[in-house]
Amino acid sequence: MSSAKPEFTEPTLSAGTAALPPLRVAYEDAALDAILGSGDVLAVFGFGTQAPATNADPRYLRVNLEPAGGTAPFEVWRARARVHARRESGIAWASDGDYAFGAIEVAESVHGSVERATEFAYRRLVETIAASDTPHTLRIWNYLDAINLGEGDDERYRRFCLGRAAGLEAHGFADAYPAATGIGVRDGRRVLQIYWLAARSAGTALENPRQVSAWRYPRQYGIKAPTFARAMRAPTQNPQVYVSGTAAIVGHASHHRDDLRAQVAETLANIDSVLAAARIAPAARFGAGAALKVYVRRAGDVEPMRALLREKLPMRTRTLFLQGDICRSELLVEIDGVQDV
Ligand code: 3EB
């Protein structure tokens, strides 16, 4: 009688797991037309009222966050193959076959509340991504007006979280969320602006050992917890990590109220920790491989913030400063970005 051996199944590579060339993210000062003239440009973001307002090209999106201290460069995403773009049923879409950029803007007044507008936007987003050749969502950015307005469970950010969870649940997202940013604009327009990056292959969602997973935040932060992962390891050969909006939260609690210096240190410790979870070697964290966006709540904190980051980050780390509100009113700063190795 042959001894019974346990059977091992070789992990098989599904069609969705082929390694992709990395998306290249840069902050560029060239003219918009010159940037959009390149066939490999997947998306371009302009920031604030000084940025071009055109929507002639679906790859261009103006985000209504004011650059801290006047002007900001464009943020440019470059893919590898030729990009095709279109605008259809209210969604801007561009793809090179490996990656897709998409954006949707939804007026809250049309849906009656920020919660319902968000649910609508998320249903559309998930449907559109699921029906595409790039069905894996890596990263989502969410910008809404007056994010901290309203008390307790009525705070607009918390209503946004309810709508987002409903829109995602409708399509079976559960405990496998993309990386995200959620920031408040101050344009008074009450138009929800959401844009995303999706890919032909799935990334790997990462959590931060220093922080409770956002989707497990306790009830005190709202009826529905925020549904995002702390970071997403892109499906690339060389590590590329999309870091979610990160702030001075340890466990689930905000730390260092009214202390900018300590909030910055805690935020950087959190980013360092999630990069460690992604197995990025210490020497490769931040530096020339990182492009960070720094969201600062109070105008008066912009210059101190710049000084703090000059002190704490390697000189070659690229940073783009924006004025924006963070989803908990006691938080003064949030940082997101991408880390290449
Ligand atoms: C936090 O860690 C800070 O709701 O999409 C960061 C990143 C934050 C994304 C979101 C919120 C979001 O909870 C806030």
Side-chain angles (χ1 to χ4, degrees), residues 142 157 160-161 164 180-182 211 214 217 226-228 230 244-247 249 326-328 331 334:
N142 306 277
Y157 172 66
F160 159 85
C161 285
R164 172 170 57 180
T181 294
Q211 299 185 300
Y217 282 170
T227 39
F228 67 95
R230 296 296 179 188
S244 289
T246 305
I249 295 174
I326 291 89
C327 62
R328 292 187 187 180
L331 294 173
E334 182 170 308

PDB file of all heavy atoms in Angstrom, residues 142 157 160-161 164 180-182 211 214 217 226-228 230 244-247 249 326-328 331 334, ligand 1:
ATOM      1  N   ASN A 142     -10.670  60.554  -4.277  1.00  0.00           N
ATOM      2  CA  ASN A 142     -12.006  61.117  -4.058  1.00  0.00           C
ATOM      3  C   ASN A 142     -11.874  62.551  -3.558  1.00  0.00           C
ATOM      4  O   ASN A 142     -11.217  62.792  -2.533  1.00  0.00           O
ATOM      5  CB  ASN A 142     -12.750  60.331  -2.970  1.00  0.00           C
ATOM      6  CG  ASN A 142     -12.811  58.842  -3.261  1.00  0.00           C
ATOM      7  OD1 ASN A 142     -13.667  58.385  -3.999  1.00  0.00           O
ATOM      8  ND2 ASN A 142     -11.873  58.076  -2.681  1.00  0.00           N
ATOM      9  N   TYR A 157     -18.122  63.759   5.167  1.00  0.00           N
ATOM     10  CA  TYR A 157     -17.211  62.653   4.881  1.00  0.00           C
ATOM     11  C   TYR A 157     -17.835  61.303   5.259  1.00  0.00           C
ATOM     12  O   TYR A 157     -17.698  60.312   4.539  1.00  0.00           O
ATOM     13  CB  TYR A 157     -15.879  62.840   5.612  1.00  0.00           C
ATOM     14  CG  TYR A 157     -14.983  61.621   5.499  1.00  0.00           C
ATOM     15  CD1 TYR A 157     -14.461  61.227   4.266  1.00  0.00           C
ATOM     16  CD2 TYR A 157     -14.679  60.841   6.616  1.00  0.00           C
ATOM     17  CE1 TYR A 157     -13.670  60.098   4.142  1.00  0.00           C
ATOM     18  CE2 TYR A 157     -13.880  59.719   6.505  1.00  0.00           C
ATOM     19  CZ  TYR A 157     -13.369  59.349   5.267  1.00  0.00           C
ATOM     20  OH  TYR A 157     -12.585  58.237   5.155  1.00  0.00           O
ATOM     21  N   PHE A 160     -20.349  60.358   2.764  1.00  0.00           N
ATOM     22  CA  PHE A 160     -19.606  59.875   1.593  1.00  0.00           C
ATOM     23  C   PHE A 160     -19.217  58.399   1.797  1.00  0.00           C
ATOM     24  O   PHE A 160     -19.381  57.566   0.887  1.00  0.00           O
ATOM     25  CB  PHE A 160     -18.365  60.766   1.375  1.00  0.00           C
ATOM     26  CG  PHE A 160     -17.295  60.121   0.556  1.00  0.00           C
ATOM     27  CD1 PHE A 160     -17.337  60.167  -0.839  1.00  0.00           C
ATOM     28  CD2 PHE A 160     -16.250  59.436   1.164  1.00  0.00           C
ATOM     29  CE1 PHE A 160     -16.359  59.545  -1.595  1.00  0.00           C
ATOM     30  CE2 PHE A 160     -15.265  58.811   0.416  1.00  0.00           C
ATOM     31  CZ  PHE A 160     -15.320  58.864  -0.971  1.00  0.00           C
ATOM     32  N   CYS A 161     -18.710  58.078   2.998  1.00  0.00           N
ATOM     33  CA  CYS A 161     -18.297  56.685   3.274  1.00  0.00           C
ATOM     34  C   CYS A 161     -19.475  55.722   3.150  1.00  0.00           C
ATOM     35  O   CYS A 161     -19.326  54.592   2.660  1.00  0.00           O
ATOM     36  CB  CYS A 161     -17.682  56.575   4.673  1.00  0.00           C
ATOM     37  SG  CYS A 161     -16.012  57.239   4.771  1.00  0.00           S
ATOM     38  N   ARG A 164     -20.179  55.295  -0.589  1.00  0.00           N
ATOM     39  CA  ARG A 164     -19.113  54.508  -1.223  1.00  0.00           C
ATOM     40  C   ARG A 164     -19.276  53.025  -0.896  1.00  0.00           C
ATOM     41  O   ARG A 164     -19.188  52.169  -1.797  1.00  0.00           O
ATOM     42  CB  ARG A 164     -17.739  55.002  -0.752  1.00  0.00           C
ATOM     43  CG  ARG A 164     -16.591  54.110  -1.224  1.00  0.00           C
ATOM     44  CD  ARG A 164     -15.240  54.726  -0.960  1.00  0.00           C
ATOM     45  NE  ARG A 164     -15.005  55.050   0.444  1.00  0.00           N
ATOM     46  CZ  ARG A 164     -13.888  55.598   0.900  1.00  0.00           C
ATOM     47  NH1 ARG A 164     -12.905  55.902   0.062  1.00  0.00           N
ATOM     48  NH2 ARG A 164     -13.743  55.868   2.180  1.00  0.00           N
ATOM     49  N   ALA A 180      -6.638  54.340  -1.687  1.00  0.00           N
ATOM     50  CA  ALA A 180      -7.463  55.526  -1.950  1.00  0.00           C
ATOM     51  C   ALA A 180      -6.958  56.768  -1.234  1.00  0.00           C
ATOM     52  O   ALA A 180      -6.155  56.692  -0.296  1.00  0.00           O
ATOM     53  CB  ALA A 180      -8.912  55.269  -1.547  1.00  0.00           C
ATOM     54  N   THR A 181      -7.479  57.875  -1.709  1.00  0.00           N
ATOM     55  CA  THR A 181      -7.323  59.168  -1.053  1.00  0.00           C
ATOM     56  C   THR A 181      -8.707  59.790  -0.972  1.00  0.00           C
ATOM     57  O   THR A 181      -9.486  59.656  -1.919  1.00  0.00           O
ATOM     58  CB  THR A 181      -6.390  60.075  -1.889  1.00  0.00           C
ATOM     59  OG1 THR A 181      -5.084  59.508  -1.880  1.00  0.00           O
ATOM     60  CG2 THR A 181      -6.328  61.492  -1.314  1.00  0.00           C
ATOM     61  N   GLY A 182      -9.013  60.430   0.152  1.00  0.00           N
ATOM     62  CA  GLY A 182     -10.263  61.176   0.274  1.00  0.00           C
ATOM     63  C   GLY A 182      -9.941  62.536   0.862  1.00  0.00           C
ATOM     64  O   GLY A 182      -9.501  62.633   2.005  1.00  0.00           O
ATOM     65  N   GLN A 211      -1.472  50.556  11.913  1.00  0.00           N
ATOM     66  CA  GLN A 211      -2.822  51.121  11.848  1.00  0.00           C
ATOM     67  C   GLN A 211      -3.872  50.021  11.735  1.00  0.00           C
ATOM     68  O   GLN A 211      -3.662  49.023  11.054  1.00  0.00           O
ATOM     69  CB  GLN A 211      -2.962  52.035  10.620  1.00  0.00           C
ATOM     70  CG  GLN A 211      -2.016  53.220  10.624  1.00  0.00           C
ATOM     71  CD  GLN A 211      -2.288  54.146   9.443  1.00  0.00           C
ATOM     72  OE1 GLN A 211      -2.192  53.749   8.294  1.00  0.00           O
ATOM     73  NE2 GLN A 211      -2.626  55.392   9.745  1.00  0.00           N
ATOM     74  N   ALA A 214      -8.632  50.477   7.669  1.00  0.00           N
ATOM     75  CA  ALA A 214      -9.690  51.499   7.667  1.00  0.00           C
ATOM     76  C   ALA A 214     -11.078  50.874   7.681  1.00  0.00           C
ATOM     77  O   ALA A 214     -11.985  51.371   8.349  1.00  0.00           O
ATOM     78  CB  ALA A 214      -9.515  52.414   6.455  1.00  0.00           C
ATOM     79  N   TYR A 217     -12.346  50.243  11.159  1.00  0.00           N
ATOM     80  CA  TYR A 217     -12.463  51.309  12.158  1.00  0.00           C
ATOM     81  C   TYR A 217     -13.724  51.064  12.989  1.00  0.00           C
ATOM     82  O   TYR A 217     -14.767  50.688  12.459  1.00  0.00           O
ATOM     83  CB  TYR A 217     -12.598  52.679  11.490  1.00  0.00           C
ATOM     84  CG  TYR A 217     -11.329  53.311  10.955  1.00  0.00           C
ATOM     85  CD1 TYR A 217     -11.421  54.450  10.158  1.00  0.00           C
ATOM     86  CD2 TYR A 217     -10.065  52.822  11.257  1.00  0.00           C
ATOM     87  CE1 TYR A 217     -10.282  55.086   9.661  1.00  0.00           C
ATOM     88  CE2 TYR A 217      -8.932  53.440  10.762  1.00  0.00           C
ATOM     89  CZ  TYR A 217      -9.031  54.565   9.963  1.00  0.00           C
ATOM     90  OH  TYR A 217      -7.919  55.186   9.481  1.00  0.00           O
ATOM     91  N   PRO A 226     -14.487  53.569   6.345  1.00  0.00           N
ATOM     92  CA  PRO A 226     -13.931  53.890   5.018  1.00  0.00           C
ATOM     93  C   PRO A 226     -13.408  52.616   4.355  1.00  0.00           C
ATOM     94  O   PRO A 226     -12.698  51.825   4.976  1.00  0.00           O
ATOM     95  CB  PRO A 226     -12.776  54.844   5.340  1.00  0.00           C
ATOM     96  CG  PRO A 226     -12.905  55.216   6.779  1.00  0.00           C
ATOM     97  CD  PRO A 226     -13.687  54.134   7.450  1.00  0.00           C
ATOM     98  N   THR A 227     -13.764  52.427   3.090  1.00  0.00           N
ATOM     99  CA  THR A 227     -13.428  51.182   2.407  1.00  0.00           C
ATOM    100  C   THR A 227     -12.249  51.391   1.464  1.00  0.00           C
ATOM    101  O   THR A 227     -12.428  51.638   0.267  1.00  0.00           O
ATOM    102  CB  THR A 227     -14.669  50.662   1.647  1.00  0.00           C
ATOM    103  OG1 THR A 227     -15.361  51.780   1.076  1.00  0.00           O
ATOM    104  CG2 THR A 227     -15.619  49.950   2.592  1.00  0.00           C
ATOM    105  N   PHE A 228     -11.052  51.326   2.042  1.00  0.00           N
ATOM    106  CA  PHE A 228      -9.838  51.410   1.218  1.00  0.00           C
ATOM    107  C   PHE A 228      -8.712  50.635   1.874  1.00  0.00           C
ATOM    108  O   PHE A 228      -8.738  50.394   3.081  1.00  0.00           O
ATOM    109  CB  PHE A 228      -9.422  52.864   0.971  1.00  0.00           C
ATOM    110  CG  PHE A 228      -8.957  53.619   2.203  1.00  0.00           C
ATOM    111  CD1 PHE A 228      -7.609  53.702   2.515  1.00  0.00           C
ATOM    112  CD2 PHE A 228      -9.871  54.252   3.038  1.00  0.00           C
ATOM    113  CE1 PHE A 228      -7.169  54.401   3.644  1.00  0.00           C
ATOM    114  CE2 PHE A 228      -9.446  54.944   4.168  1.00  0.00           C
ATOM    115  CZ  PHE A 228      -8.090  55.015   4.474  1.00  0.00           C
ATOM    116  N   ARG A 230      -4.513  50.369   2.669  1.00  0.00           N
ATOM    117  CA  ARG A 230      -3.473  51.358   2.976  1.00  0.00           C
ATOM    118  C   ARG A 230      -2.521  51.584   1.803  1.00  0.00           C
ATOM    119  O   ARG A 230      -1.910  52.634   1.680  1.00  0.00           O
ATOM    120  CB  ARG A 230      -2.673  50.929   4.206  1.00  0.00           C
ATOM    121  CG  ARG A 230      -3.485  50.879   5.479  1.00  0.00           C
ATOM    122  CD  ARG A 230      -3.991  52.234   5.888  1.00  0.00           C
ATOM    123  NE  ARG A 230      -4.799  52.161   7.111  1.00  0.00           N
ATOM    124  CZ  ARG A 230      -5.484  53.191   7.592  1.00  0.00           C
ATOM    125  NH1 ARG A 230      -5.467  54.365   6.976  1.00  0.00           N
ATOM    126  NH2 ARG A 230      -6.208  53.058   8.685  1.00  0.00           N
ATOM    127  N   SER A 244      -1.848  54.996  -0.128  1.00  0.00           N
ATOM    128  CA  SER A 244      -3.085  55.743   0.107  1.00  0.00           C
ATOM    129  C   SER A 244      -2.805  57.012   0.890  1.00  0.00           C
ATOM    130  O   SER A 244      -1.739  57.166   1.500  1.00  0.00           O
ATOM    131  CB  SER A 244      -4.063  54.878   0.912  1.00  0.00           C
ATOM    132  OG  SER A 244      -4.554  53.826   0.120  1.00  0.00           O
ATOM    133  N   GLY A 245      -3.772  57.889   0.918  1.00  0.00           N
ATOM    134  CA  GLY A 245      -3.678  59.055   1.779  1.00  0.00           C
ATOM    135  C   GLY A 245      -3.347  58.585   3.191  1.00  0.00           C
ATOM    136  O   GLY A 245      -4.002  57.694   3.723  1.00  0.00           O
ATOM    137  N   THR A 246      -2.297  59.171   3.770  1.00  0.00           N
ATOM    138  CA  THR A 246      -1.783  58.702   5.051  1.00  0.00           C
ATOM    139  C   THR A 246      -1.648  59.894   5.997  1.00  0.00           C
ATOM    140  O   THR A 246      -1.151  60.950   5.603  1.00  0.00           O
ATOM    141  CB  THR A 246      -0.412  58.037   4.860  1.00  0.00           C
ATOM    142  OG1 THR A 246      -0.536  56.999   3.877  1.00  0.00           O
ATOM    143  CG2 THR A 246       0.107  57.437   6.153  1.00  0.00           C
ATOM    144  N   ALA A 247      -2.092  59.703   7.232  1.00  0.00           N
ATOM    145  CA  ALA A 247      -2.068  60.804   8.201  1.00  0.00           C
ATOM    146  C   ALA A 247      -1.583  60.277   9.549  1.00  0.00           C
ATOM    147  O   ALA A 247      -1.135  59.137   9.664  1.00  0.00           O
ATOM    148  CB  ALA A 247      -3.455  61.425   8.305  1.00  0.00           C
ATOM    149  N   ILE A 249      -2.520  58.821  12.117  1.00  0.00           N
ATOM    150  CA  ILE A 249      -3.432  57.894  12.794  1.00  0.00           C
ATOM    151  C   ILE A 249      -2.631  56.668  13.194  1.00  0.00           C
ATOM    152  O   ILE A 249      -1.942  56.068  12.376  1.00  0.00           O
ATOM    153  CB  ILE A 249      -4.602  57.500  11.865  1.00  0.00           C
ATOM    154  CG1 ILE A 249      -5.474  58.734  11.564  1.00  0.00           C
ATOM    155  CG2 ILE A 249      -5.432  56.376  12.482  1.00  0.00           C
ATOM    156  CD1 ILE A 249      -6.576  58.500  10.551  1.00  0.00           C
ATOM    157  N   ILE A 326      -8.599  67.482   5.425  1.00  0.00           N
ATOM    158  CA  ILE A 326      -8.415  66.062   5.704  1.00  0.00           C
ATOM    159  C   ILE A 326      -9.704  65.566   6.360  1.00  0.00           C
ATOM    160  O   ILE A 326     -10.426  66.324   7.010  1.00  0.00           O
ATOM    161  CB  ILE A 326      -7.154  65.849   6.577  1.00  0.00           C
ATOM    162  CG1 ILE A 326      -5.898  66.167   5.748  1.00  0.00           C
ATOM    163  CG2 ILE A 326      -7.029  64.413   7.055  1.00  0.00           C
ATOM    164  CD1 ILE A 326      -5.428  67.553   5.759  1.00  0.00           C
ATOM    165  N   CYS A 327     -10.001  64.275   6.198  1.00  0.00           N
ATOM    166  CA  CYS A 327     -11.339  63.789   6.547  1.00  0.00           C
ATOM    167  C   CYS A 327     -11.618  63.714   8.046  1.00  0.00           C
ATOM    168  O   CYS A 327     -12.745  63.466   8.438  1.00  0.00           O
ATOM    169  CB  CYS A 327     -11.581  62.440   5.891  1.00  0.00           C
ATOM    170  SG  CYS A 327     -10.422  61.226   6.462  1.00  0.00           S
ATOM    171  N   ARG A 328     -10.616  63.914   8.881  1.00  0.00           N
ATOM    172  CA  ARG A 328     -10.902  64.094  10.310  1.00  0.00           C
ATOM    173  C   ARG A 328     -10.428  65.510  10.638  1.00  0.00           C
ATOM    174  O   ARG A 328      -9.275  65.861  10.357  1.00  0.00           O
ATOM    175  CB  ARG A 328     -10.125  63.093  11.166  1.00  0.00           C
ATOM    176  CG  ARG A 328     -10.577  61.657  10.986  1.00  0.00           C
ATOM    177  CD  ARG A 328      -9.851  60.787  12.000  1.00  0.00           C
ATOM    178  NE  ARG A 328     -10.107  59.363  11.786  1.00  0.00           N
ATOM    179  CZ  ARG A 328      -9.580  58.408  12.550  1.00  0.00           C
ATOM    180  NH1 ARG A 328      -8.761  58.734  13.556  1.00  0.00           N
ATOM    181  NH2 ARG A 328      -9.842  57.145  12.311  1.00  0.00           N
ATOM    182  N   LEU A 331      -6.944  66.481  11.975  1.00  0.00           N
ATOM    183  CA  LEU A 331      -5.724  66.179  11.221  1.00  0.00           C
ATOM    184  C   LEU A 331      -5.327  67.372  10.350  1.00  0.00           C
ATOM    185  O   LEU A 331      -6.151  67.950   9.649  1.00  0.00           O
ATOM    186  CB  LEU A 331      -5.927  64.934  10.361  1.00  0.00           C
ATOM    187  CG  LEU A 331      -6.138  63.638  11.149  1.00  0.00           C
ATOM    188  CD1 LEU A 331      -6.504  62.482  10.212  1.00  0.00           C
ATOM    189  CD2 LEU A 331      -4.898  63.274  11.964  1.00  0.00           C
ATOM    190  N   GLU A 334      -2.026  65.332   5.293  1.00  0.00           N
ATOM    191  CA  GLU A 334      -2.127  63.969   4.764  1.00  0.00           C
ATOM    192  C   GLU A 334      -1.183  63.885   3.563  1.00  0.00           C
ATOM    193  O   GLU A 334      -1.010  64.860   2.833  1.00  0.00           O
ATOM    194  CB  GLU A 334      -3.573  63.690   4.351  1.00  0.00           C
ATOM    195  CG  GLU A 334      -3.806  62.286   3.827  1.00  0.00           C
ATOM    196  CD  GLU A 334      -5.302  61.984   3.658  1.00  0.00           C
ATOM    197  OE1 GLU A 334      -6.080  62.174   4.609  1.00  0.00           O
ATOM    198  OE2 GLU A 334      -5.674  61.557   2.547  1.00  0.00           O
TER     199      GLU A 334
HETATM  200  C1  3EB B   1      -7.337  57.668   7.419  1.00  0.00           C
HETATM  201  O1  3EB B   1      -6.295  57.008   7.456  1.00  0.00           O
HETATM  202  C2  3EB B   1      -7.180  59.079   6.935  1.00  0.00           C
HETATM  203  O2  3EB B   1     -11.761  57.675   2.832  1.00  0.00           O
HETATM  204  O3  3EB B   1     -10.740  57.214   0.970  1.00  0.00           O
HETATM  205  C3  3EB B   1      -7.024  58.451   4.003  1.00  0.00           C
HETATM  206  C4  3EB B   1      -7.066  57.843   2.745  1.00  0.00           C
HETATM  207  C5  3EB B   1      -8.200  58.793   4.634  1.00  0.00           C
HETATM  208  C6  3EB B   1      -8.289  57.561   2.141  1.00  0.00           C
HETATM  209  C7  3EB B   1     -10.746  57.587   2.155  1.00  0.00           C
HETATM  210  C8  3EB B   1      -9.410  58.511   4.020  1.00  0.00           C
HETATM  211  C9  3EB B   1      -9.461  57.912   2.783  1.00  0.00           C
HETATM  212  O4  3EB B   1      -8.422  57.226   7.795  1.00  0.00           O
HETATM  213  C10 3EB B   1      -8.197  59.474   5.955  1.00  0.00           C
END
